[in-house]
């Protein structure tokens, strides 16, 4: 201001002032100063480039690119402009264009370490990790003490999972500046990956506490790590200080819970923090959704009850994405662990295919977001249809991809000799794929409960699959129909899926019982059972219902668990073949069909279903 009071039209002063305002976050005032400078000297490439950088930092990429183009039209080989333009294009994720300008600038200045480091950063962001590492190496050779280059080089090494090398570079930065907060944080991040939480804590404790937002970020990570190493009291202290200093206390609680759950699913502390979020808070709905995903089944039942309305059903469909990604992530991690012990090209190929699945899921979610972005929040029916269709599409997409992977694996196995040591390895992989498919089938059972399609059939046709399957695995299956040819109208596929799910449920819960007997009964009844005071009564009437009973002589369901087995994500299975969504799917679909289901078994399990039908 003093300088401009002496010489108000000095473009160097105006541009420098604008750059300082940009660094301070005062973009509106910065843009005014840039415009003043350009009004005096419209072809000043320094001002145009600085203005463009500020616009890009503010997120106004179209205007930023326009200013860069103006600058290059005046001086096409200006290395500073080319490099800044490339960096802005990287921010906008236009990597192909960024590489074009970076390559041009490197032709002009091949030994410029800053250009090499910028190019390396772009390559790393684009996923070309090895090419990025080569560029970083060249940049470091030319300028071994550049903190930004060393930091980004370390990040690229961490991206390539070369964690020890990354840590070495972060330590080099800390030798140059022991208080470099970025290097301290990245060191802590890598140390956590290397399962050295105590050393990670040491790095975080050295980070300076200052501005409230940065202070909160440090305390968030400190609190999570303290919990990880068993120092819960210190962890709560950090969380409480973060909540006190944060601009929105409930938003802070939400972030705390997210961080705790990232390292410890079903964390009691995370659930306690979520429960503290006030109903009046903008974070309340998200907190409730997180609770729905992370409470154990019994807690979920106690908090949310058995019934859900249409909005909740939309959320249940959205939880499918969470469960699908989790399941695929578990599969990927398992295969990666196998790969560490067996550097097998087939496993490497499978991991690449699983990465393709993640990309496919992301694309479908983005399409859903585009479809629902402008919907009125009260238009739940339309919203639900979009979400349901996307969930169905994702499940089918993932299921098909996994099935294709299984078929390819079987082809490999078929070519192996009987004594090939890879036989055991591939059998383990096949088992993991099988479990993934089983989990996806459970998820599909929920989604199947949304749309109903009625058509004419007979009682015998509904049970046809099981009439032709008297034995399955360790079980003998008996079908008892009172009027096999009885004509009726119902949703055939839904009813068949009920039978399939309940038979599979019995097999899943009694895998070791060699004399397992499963009985399927079907008949037409008049009246509907209703529960009153804990007992079952039968109301008289002319309405007809398809009565189905699927029972077995297995271990049954403990009495204290009967009341929550239909809860979403609940399961009494001790293995990992199910996700607890099958029974919920049956009950949810029956609600849509105005039907009823209850478990009444005493010696073994017994599921009784009543489904309204029309006599055709």
């Amino acid at each position: 201001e003093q300088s401009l009071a002496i010489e108000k039209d000095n473009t160097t002063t105006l541009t420098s002032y604008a750059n300082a305002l940009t660094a301070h976050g005062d973009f509106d005032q910065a843009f005014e100063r840039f415009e003043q400078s350009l009004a005096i000297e419209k072809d000043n490439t320094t001002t145009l480039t600085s203005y463009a950088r500020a616009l890009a930092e503010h997120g106004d990429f179209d205007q930023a690119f326009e200013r860069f183009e103006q600058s290059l039209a005046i001086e096409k080989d200006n290395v500073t402009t080319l490099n800044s333009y490339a960096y802005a294009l990287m921010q906008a994720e236009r990597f192909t264009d960024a590489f074009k300008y970076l390559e041009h600038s490197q032709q002009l200045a091949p030994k410029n370490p800053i250009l090499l480091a910028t190019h390396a950063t772009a390559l790393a962001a684009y996923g070309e990790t090895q090419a990025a590492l080569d560029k970083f190496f060249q940049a470091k050779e030319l300028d071994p003490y550049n903190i930004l280059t060393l930091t980004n080089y370390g990040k690229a090494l961490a991206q390539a999972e070369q964690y020890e090398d990354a840590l070495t570079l972060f330590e080099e930065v800390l030798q140059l500046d022991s208080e470099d907060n970025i290097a301290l944080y990245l060191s802590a991040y890598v140390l956590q990956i290397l399962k050295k939480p105590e050393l990670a804590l040491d790095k975080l404790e050295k980070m300076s506490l200052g501005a409230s937002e940065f202070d909160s970020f440090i305390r968030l990570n400190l609190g999570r790590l303290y919990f990880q190493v068993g120092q819960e009291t210190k962890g709560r202290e950090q969380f409480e200080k973060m909540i006190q200093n944060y601009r929105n206390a409930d938003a802070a609680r939400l972030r705390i819970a997210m961080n705790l759950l990232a390292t410890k699913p079903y964390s009691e502390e995370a659930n306690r923090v979520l429960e503290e979020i006030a109903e009046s808070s903008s974070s309340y709905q998200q907190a409730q959704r997180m609770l729905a995903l992370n409470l154990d089944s019994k807690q979920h039942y106690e908090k949310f009850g058995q019934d859900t309305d249409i909005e909740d059903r939309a959320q249940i469909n959205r939880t499918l994405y969470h469960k699908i990604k989790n399941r695929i992530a578990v599969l990927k991690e398992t295969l990666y662990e196998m790969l560490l012990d067996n550097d097998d090209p087939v496993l490497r190929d499978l991991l690449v295919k699983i990465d393709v699945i993640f990309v496919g899921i992301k694309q479908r979610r983005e399409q859903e977001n585009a479809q629902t972005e402008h919907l009125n929040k009260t238009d739940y029916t339309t919203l639900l249809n979009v979400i349901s269709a996307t969930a169905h599409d994702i499940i089918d997409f993932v299921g098909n991809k996994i099935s294709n992977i299984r078929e390819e694996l079987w082809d490999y196995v078929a070519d192996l000799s009987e004594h090939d040591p890879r036989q055991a390895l591939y059998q383990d992989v096949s088992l993991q794929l099988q479990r993934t498919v089983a989990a996806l089938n459970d998820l599909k059972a929920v989604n199947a409960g949304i749309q109903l399609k009625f058509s004419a059939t007979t009682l015998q046709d509904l049970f046809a699959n099981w009439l032709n399957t008297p034995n399955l695995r360790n079980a003998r299956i008996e079908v008892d129909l009172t009027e096999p040819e009885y004509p009726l109208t119902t949703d055939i596929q839904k009813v068949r899926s009920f039978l399939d799910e309940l038979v599979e449920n019995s097999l899943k819960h009694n895998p070791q019982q060699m004399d397992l007997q499963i009985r399927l009964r079907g008949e037409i009844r008049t009246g509907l059972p209703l529960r009153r005071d804990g007992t079952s009564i039968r109301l008289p009437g002319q309405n007809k219902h398809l009565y189905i009973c699927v029972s077995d002589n297995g271990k049954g369901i403990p009495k204290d668990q009967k009341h929550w087995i239909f809860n979403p994500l609940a399961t009494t299975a001790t293995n990992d073949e199910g996700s607890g969504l099958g029974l919920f799917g049956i009950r949810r679909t029956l609600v849509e069909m105005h039907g009823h289901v209850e478990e009444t078994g005493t010696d073994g399990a017994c599921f009784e279903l009543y489904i309204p039908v029309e006599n055709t």
Side-chain angles (χ1 to χ4, degrees):
E1 291 286 356
Q2 283 178 260
S3 182
L4 289 173
I6 299 165
E7 193 177 345
K8 67 176 182 178
D9 291 338
N10 187 305
T11 56
T12 301
T13 305
L14 285 166
T15 299
S16 297
Y17 193 1
N19 284 333
L21 288 164
T22 298
H24 196 250
D26 297 332
F27 289 100
D28 290 340
Q29 289 191 61
F31 297 156
E32 283 182 26
R33 298 295 179 274
F34 282 128
E35 291 290 351
Q36 280 180 258
S37 182
L38 290 173
I40 299 162
E41 191 179 346
K42 67 177 182 178
D43 291 339
N44 187 313
T45 56
T46 301
T47 304
L48 285 166
T49 299
S50 296
Y51 194 0
R53 276 200 301 256
L55 286 163
E57 189 174 336
H58 193 246
D60 299 330
F61 289 110
D62 288 340
Q63 290 190 63
F65 300 152
E66 188 178 323
R67 296 291 183 279
F68 279 127
E69 291 291 349
Q70 283 179 258
S71 184
L72 289 173
I74 299 162
E75 194 177 344
K76 67 177 182 176
D77 291 337
N78 187 306
V79 171
T80 301
T81 304
L82 288 165
N83 195 43
S84 298
Y85 195 1
Y87 189 78
L89 287 163
M90 286 159 52
Q91 289 177 286
E93 297 186 354
R94 287 174 52 181
F95 292 102
T96 304
D97 292 331
F99 294 141
K100 179 177 72 174
Y101 289 104
L102 286 167
E103 286 160 5
H104 182 192
S105 63
Q106 277 187 248
Q107 287 172 359
L108 298 168
K111 297 296 185 180
N112 186 316
I114 294 175
L115 292 178
L116 284 164
T118 304
H119 199 166
T121 303
L123 288 164
Y126 194 60
E128 297 288 344
T129 309
Q130 189 53 55
L133 294 177
D134 293 342
K135 294 281 185 187
F136 275 126
F137 180 80
Q138 294 174 49
K140 185 175 183 293
E141 288 284 294
L142 292 166
D143 185 0
Y145 305 114
N146 186 299
I147 284 179
L148 185 59
T149 298
L150 292 172
T151 302
N152 285 330
Y153 191 0
K155 287 166 67 176
L157 285 165
Q159 183 179 322
E161 299 180 357
Q162 298 178 33
Y163 300 118
E164 296 288 356
D165 292 337
L167 195 59
T168 299
L169 283 179
F170 297 142
E171 290 297 338
E172 287 185 36
V173 173
L174 291 172
Q175 287 173 9
L176 296 168
D177 181 358
S178 62
E179 296 181 356
D180 188 297
N181 278 321
I182 295 174
L184 285 167
Y185 174 74
L186 290 171
S187 298
Y189 169 75
V190 169
L191 286 165
Q192 289 175 71
I193 294 174
L194 294 172
K195 302 189 187 305
K196 299 176 180 179
E198 289 84 0
L199 293 176
L201 260 175
D202 179 64
K203 298 294 184 186
L204 289 178
E205 286 169 343
K206 291 176 180 175
M207 292 180 72
S208 61
L209 299 176
S212 60
E213 196 64 27
F214 196 57
D215 177 281
S216 298
F217 180 72
I218 299 169
R219 293 193 189 284
L220 177 65
N221 284 277
L222 278 170
R224 176 173 50 77
L225 272 177
Y226 278 131
F227 266 90
Q228 197 172 332
V229 299
Q231 299 183 43
E232 288 86 355
T233 302
K234 283 189 174 182
R236 288 193 186 94
E237 287 175 2
Q238 293 297 332
F239 289 151
E240 287 303 319
K241 287 177 183 176
M242 175 187 169
I243 291 168
Q244 290 168 14
N245 297 334
Y246 209 70
R247 64 184 183 278
N248 181 317
D250 284 333
R253 292 185 177 97
L254 196 62
R255 288 187 67 187
I256 289 165
M258 287 176 174
N259 272 261
L260 287 170
L261 290 167
T263 53
K264 185 181 178 183
Y266 308 110
S267 161
E268 292 182 8
E269 180 68 15
N271 292 333
R272 182 191 67 77
V273 172
L274 289 170
E275 291 279 11
E276 289 180 354
I277 295 177
E279 288 189 39
S280 58
S281 169
S282 60
S283 301
Y284 181 74
Q285 288 300 323
Q286 192 172 353
Q288 295 303 292
R289 289 168 184 165
M290 287 177 67
L291 279 168
L293 287 171
N294 292 291
L295 290 172
D296 67 36
S297 300
K298 203 166 185 179
Q299 291 170 325
H300 189 292
Y301 177 86
E302 291 165 354
K303 179 167 181 61
F304 296 102
Q306 291 187 348
D307 296 318
T308 55
D309 60 16
I310 194 166
E311 185 179 12
D312 293 327
R313 284 168 44 219
Q315 180 54 34
I316 289 297
N317 271 278
R318 279 193 163 128
T319 65
L320 301 189
Y321 310 136
H322 173 92
K323 296 297 173 183
I324 293 167
K325 288 186 74 174
N326 275 2
R327 188 67 209 182
I328 302 303
V330 168
L331 174 63
K332 182 179 178 180
E333 289 168 8
T334 304
L335 295 183
Y336 184 74
E337 288 295 325
M338 291 179 178
L339 186 62
L340 291 177
D341 297 328
N342 306 271
D343 189 14
D344 185 271
V346 174
L347 286 185
R348 286 201 301 271
D349 184 54
L350 295 187
L351 284 167
V352 171
K353 289 180 169 64
I354 290 169
D355 281 333
V356 171
I357 293 175
F358 280 112
V359 173
I361 293 172
K362 182 181 178 183
Q363 289 173 341
R364 285 159 175 79
R365 288 302 314 276
E366 289 172 349
Q367 290 169 5
E368 181 207 286
N369 290 336
Q371 289 178 285
T372 59
E373 184 178 5
H374 302 296
L375 284 179
N376 188 311
K377 289 184 179 180
T378 60
D379 190 7
Y380 292 133
T381 302
T382 305
L383 182 68
L384 177 60
N385 287 337
V386 174
I387 295 169
S388 175
T390 305
H392 191 96
D393 182 31
I394 287 175
I395 295 169
D396 282 346
F397 164 76
V398 176
N400 289 337
K401 289 291 186 184
I402 296 294
S403 295
N404 290 340
I405 290 172
R406 288 181 74 193
E407 289 175 8
E408 290 177 18
L409 186 65
W410 290 335
D411 289 340
Y412 285 121
V413 172
D415 294 332
L416 298 177
S417 67
E418 183 179 347
H419 302 293
D420 193 310
R422 288 174 294 175
Q423 283 277 4
L425 172 65
Y426 292 162
Q427 284 175 6
D428 287 343
V429 174
S430 181
L431 178 60
Q432 294 300 327
L433 295 171
Q434 180 183 341
R435 288 173 175 170
T436 301
V437 171
L440 291 172
N441 288 337
D442 274 354
L443 293 169
K444 196 166 184 178
V446 175
N447 187 253
I450 303 301
Q451 303 289 340
L452 299 176
K453 297 179 181 179
F454 293 92
S455 53
T457 185
T458 64
L459 198 58
Q460 182 172 270
D461 185 46
L462 291 172
F463 287 77
N465 181 49
W466 300 109
L467 284 166
N468 298 320
T469 312
N471 297 289
L472 186 64
R473 298 186 213 165
N474 56 316
R476 180 171 180 79
I477 299 173
E478 175 187 352
V479 179
D480 179 12
L481 305 177
T482 52
E483 299 178 75
E485 299 298 329
Y486 189 94
L488 53 96
T489 298
T490 190
D491 189 318
I492 299 171
Q493 295 306 320
K494 296 291 189 296
V495 175
R496 286 176 176 169
S497 73
F498 297 162
L499 294 170
D500 293 348
E501 174 61 33
L502 291 171
V503 171
E504 179 61 26
N505 211 45
S506 181
L507 293 166
K508 182 170 60 183
H509 285 79
N510 302 283
Q512 307 301 325
Q513 187 170 329
M514 292 300 101
D515 64 339
L516 183 64
Q517 296 179 18
I518 303 174
R519 186 184 184 198
L520 283 66
R521 292 170 56 203
E523 62 184 85
I524 302 299
R525 289 187 175 179
T526 301
L528 177 68
L530 295 177
R531 187 165 295 282
R532 178 184 293 170
D533 298 326
T535 62
S536 188
I537 64 171
R538 202 170 304 284
L539 292 180
Q542 297 305 309
N543 292 334
K544 294 185 180 298
H545 296 85
L546 167 61
Y547 169 78
I548 293 174
C549 178
V550 179
S551 59
D552 64 41
N553 64 340
K555 62 184 180 182
I557 299 167
K559 189 175 181 180
D560 64 346
Q561 296 178 9
K562 287 177 182 283
H563 69 296
W564 55 268
I565 57 172
F566 295 104
N567 183 56
L569 314 180
T571 181
T572 58
T574 55
N575 55 33
D576 58 355
E577 291 184 7
S579 61
L581 289 164
L583 292 178
F584 169 74
I586 291 175
R587 188 185 69 82
R588 195 74 199 114
T589 309
L590 282 171
V591 169
E592 298 295 317
M593 299 173 80
H594 306 290
H596 175 83
V597 59
E598 59 183 343
E599 202 287 322
T600 59
T602 52
D603 298 319
C606 179
F607 289 90
E608 295 184 83
L609 290 73
Y610 282 77
I611 307 169
V613 297
E614 294 180 13
N615 187 335
T616 57

